[in-house]
Amino acid sequence: MPAYLVSYDLKSGNPSPHATFLASAEPEGWLYICKSATKIFRLPNTTLWGVFEDVAAANAAFDRALAAAEAQLGRRIILEKRIVTRLGDWSARSDLMKAPEPRYAGRTDLETCRLHQLGDPFFT
């Protein structure tokens, strides 16, 4: 299945919806930790990636995460902007990157990134 990247803006509120949304996005397959050929790195704020069947499935996963975050916060989160695109030829630079650690290795790049996101204190 192809990988997709989403960049989005959520309207600020009190409390801020960002951490709640990120926590809701992970079970839906959206991650903020990404892997290149040799490094694991943190994507820019409000940018996530995931592996989905197609762009419709990627959008649906994002929408489910947004709904879950709204339910947890007990209020509507205003999505100001969103773009979802299939990853192709890409490069990235991050101030938070390092070599993957074997204890967080998964069978796929997505699993490896997810394990680093959930367990590696370097990225929290």
Side-chain angles (χ1 to χ4, degrees), residues 14-117:
N14 188 12
S16 172
H18 295 284
T20 304
F21 175 73
L22 284 178
S24 298
E26 181 273 323
E28 293 296 338
W30 288 112
L31 302 175
Y32 58 81
I33 301 299
C34 197
K35 183 178 181 301
S36 68
T38 60
K39 299 284 183 188
I40 298 286
F41 59 92
R42 173 71 160 87
L43 289 169
N45 292 338
T46 70
T47 304
L48 303 171
W49 83 284
V51 175
F52 302 96
E53 185 175 324
D54 54 29
V55 73
N59 277 307
F62 187 96
D63 291 341
R64 286 191 304 272
L66 193 61
E70 288 176 336
Q72 188 172 348
L73 288 173
R75 67 174 176 84
R76 184 168 177 257
I77 298 171
I78 297 171
L79 174 65
E80 295 179 325
K81 299 171 202 68
R82 170 176 69 189
I83 184 169
V84 177
T85 186
R86 188 172 174 169
L87 282 174
D89 188 22
W90 62 276
S91 71
R93 180 175 182 263
S94 177
D95 61 338
L96 288 175
M97 67 180 180
K98 67 179 198 172
E101 290 190 32
R103 66 182 163 163
Y104 300 117
R107 293 183 333 231
T108 66
D109 286 351
L110 182 72
E111 286 180 19
T112 297
C113 293
R114 182 174 183 272
L115 292 170
H116 275 84
Q117 181 170 313

